[in-house]
Amino acid sequence: MTAGEGRVAGKVAFITGAAGGIGSTTAKRLIAEGARVVATDLASKQGDLAALRESLADPSALLPVSADVSDLDSLKDAVAAGVDAFGTLDVVFANAGVLLPEDSVENIPGSTWDTVLSVNLTGVFHTAQATFPILKRNRNGSSVILASSTAGIRGGAKSSAYTATKTALVGLAETWSHELGPFGGRVNTTHPTAVGTDLVLNRENLRRFRPDLDDPTPDDVIEAFKRGKLLDIPWIDTEDVANAVLFLASDEARYITGAHLTIDAGSTVKWG
C-alpha cells in the first residue's frame, strides 16, 4: 500500500490503553490502512509502546505518549503532543480499561469500585474532555469509539463495578453523539465478548469459571466460555475488535452514530 491509500488514509487516531492487546492491535490495523496514531498509555507501559513503534514498517506513523486516563491534565498534554506532531485528530478510540476480580455487591471493597470507575468511566469522560475541543474544529468530521463490552448490554453476577461502567458508556455515546453531531462527528460503542488477552485469560479471572481448580489454564475454561455463545468459539481475537474499530473510524461508517456494535459470537442474542 502506498502513501495516501487505505481505508483511513490521512486520518490521525488517538488511542488510550494503546500498549495492551486490543490497543496495540488496533493501532497497527489503523496504521496499515493509512492512519497515523497517537498511542497513549501509562508511564510503566512506555517500553511496550516503544517496541510497538519499532515493529512498524514506518515508525514515524506512531507517536508514543505517556498518559493516565484518570488524570485529565496528562490526557490534555497527550492531545497537545499529538496535535503538535500530526496537526489534528480525526479518530478517538477510548480503549483504556481494567477488569478486576469482584464479589457479590455487599462484598466489593470500595477501593475496587473506585479503581474500576476511575479508569473505565471517568477515564473515558476525561478522554472526551481532552479531545472534543480538537474534534469540533475538524472540518472533515470525526469518529469517536468507546470501548464497552457485552457487559454494557447485559449484566452478570459479581461484576457490579465493571457492568456499571460499561453500561454507562452506552448512555455517554448517545449523549455525545448529540453534542458532536453538529460538528460532523460520530460517536459509537463496541461491545466485544471475552477477548483472548491477559486481561481476560489471567488466573484470577479464569478461577471465576473453574473455581474447582487452584490454577486453571485457558484450556480448562474453553467449554465454559463456549457455552455463552452461538458460534463455536470460546473467545474472539484482538483483530476482531480492531477490525470493528477500523470500520467505525472509516468513511464506510460515515452515517453511523449513536450505535452499539456487538462483536460477541452471538452471546447477547443467546442470553438476551
Side-chain angles (χ1 to χ4, degrees), residues 20-265:
I22 293 173
S24 61
T25 300
T26 302
K28 289 188 286 188
R29 190 74 180 93
L30 295 178
I31 289 170
E33 291 289 344
R36 291 170 292 173
V37 171
V38 183
T40 73
D41 214 312
L42 299 170
S44 61
K45 301 292 186 179
Q46 292 308 296
D48 294 331
L49 289 182
L52 173 62
R53 185 176 190 272
E54 291 307 310
S55 73
L56 301 171
D58 177 12
S60 69
L62 185 138
L63 177 70
V65 183
S66 176
D68 180 345
V69 294
S70 66
D71 179 354
L72 177 58
D73 287 338
S74 77
L75 274 175
K76 287 182 175 179
D77 289 344
V79 169
V83 172
D84 184 60
F86 296 139
T88 190
L89 296 180
D90 303 283
V91 176
V92 174
F93 181 32
N95 169 68
V98 295
L99 175 63
L100 301 183
E102 297 188 44
D103 203 333
S104 54
V105 63
E106 68 272 21
N107 296 319
I108 297 175
S111 59
T112 296
W113 178 268
D114 291 343
T115 297
V116 174
L117 265 67
S118 177
V119 178
N120 292 7
L121 184 55
T122 303
V124 175
F125 170 67
H126 285 164
T127 302
Q129 286 193 307
T131 59
F132 273 35
I134 304 300
L135 300 180
K136 287 181 176 180
R137 297 201 298 266
N138 191 326
R139 295 181 179 180
N140 297 317
S142 59
S143 175
V144 177
I145 301 106
L146 310 183
S148 185
S149 162
T150 51
I153 297 174
R154 59 174 181 82
K158 298 183 178 181
S159 62
S160 294
Y162 188 77
T163 298
T165 61
K166 296 305 183 179
T167 302
L169 296 187
V170 172
L172 288 179
E174 293 178 4
T175 297
W176 294 344
S177 66
H178 283 276
E179 296 183 11
L180 206 57
F183 301 90
R186 303 178 289 107
V187 186
N188 298 289
T189 55
T190 53
H191 297 263
T193 184
V195 184
T197 66
D198 290 339
L199 190 69
V200 172
L201 301 181
N202 64 77
R203 181 175 179 270
E204 287 300 317
N205 195 48
L206 296 185
R207 287 187 68 186
R208 293 177 56 203
F209 296 88
R210 289 298 305 269
D212 56 309
L213 299 177
D214 291 333
D215 191 17
T217 68
D219 286 344
D220 294 321
V221 301
I222 285 177
E223 292 307 314
F225 273 66
K226 280 184 176 182
R227 281 196 293 271
K229 300 168 183 65
L230 291 178
L231 302 182
D232 188 28
I233 60 166
W235 44 75
I236 63 173
D237 297 325
T238 56
E239 289 82 3
D240 299 308
V241 182
N243 286 335
V245 174
L246 170 62
F247 168 66
L248 291 173
S250 75
D251 292 340
E252 297 163 18
R254 61 182 180 166
Y255 298 134
I256 298 175
T257 191
H260 314 299
L261 178 58
T262 57
I263 318 141
D264 68 348

